[in-house]
Amino acid sequence: MEFGDDGVRTLFVKDATAPGEARTWVAAYFLAHGRADVIPDARILVSELVTNALREEALFEVNGGAAIGLTITRGPLAYRVGVYDGNPDPPPAPPEFPALDAEAGRGLVLVAAIATQWGSTPATDPATGRQGKYVWFELPRTASDE
């Protein structure tokens, strides 16, 4: 599936407020595009990816501080929402059955269960040449999408 450069992009300061800001940002995007129906899923999924990005080095900087990049693009059949971090290694495959007492490891299980598709792609900050990755998920478009 092709995803062009016609999407929207933003940066959030890499701190504890980033997941909440990302949830608000994706909700506003989907509301503006008439897709309030996907907001609950989009908020859960972006929160998981941003929380994971908080554990990694940042790929981008804003005013000398670490930042998390976020994009939304529309393909012919799906919206792709992605989060950038500075770790070039792909995310681990989610466990089929996460341990009930595990402190981590359920986020990607949720992403795999809710998203139409998900994955990661290598990424480079064009300003610094730093290597990282773009972790993304897709949610379906409908015939009524703008």
Side-chain angles (χ1 to χ4, degrees), residues 16-146:
T17 65
E21 291 174 4
R23 287 189 298 270
T24 299
W25 189 75
V26 298
Y29 176 89
F30 285 114
L31 188 60
H33 286 83
R35 290 301 308 274
D37 60 306
V38 300
I39 290 173
D41 287 346
R43 288 173 50 100
I44 289 169
L45 298 175
V46 78
S47 186
E48 293 299 335
L49 297 188
V50 170
T51 299
N52 288 348
L54 287 173
R55 295 185 192 109
E56 305 292 350
E57 289 184 39
L59 183 60
F60 304 113
E61 290 185 9
V62 173
N63 299 324
I68 295 173
L70 182 62
T71 63
I72 302 174
T73 54
R74 288 192 297 178
L77 302 175
Y79 291 94
R80 180 174 284 181
V81 180
V83 176
Y84 292 84
D85 69 52
N87 179 351
D89 297 331
E96 188 173 347
F97 301 104
L100 294 177
D101 60 348
E103 292 184 24
R106 290 183 196 82
L108 291 179
V109 172
L110 286 173
V111 173
I114 296 171
T116 305
Q117 290 188 62
W118 77 280
S120 71
T121 305
T124 303
D125 178 357
T128 64
R130 261 187 272 194
Q131 300 292 307
K133 68 179 169 293
Y134 169 69
V135 183
W136 51 267
F137 64 85
E138 294 179 3
L139 296 171
R141 290 190 63 188
T142 65
S144 65
D145 285 346
E146 294 179 15

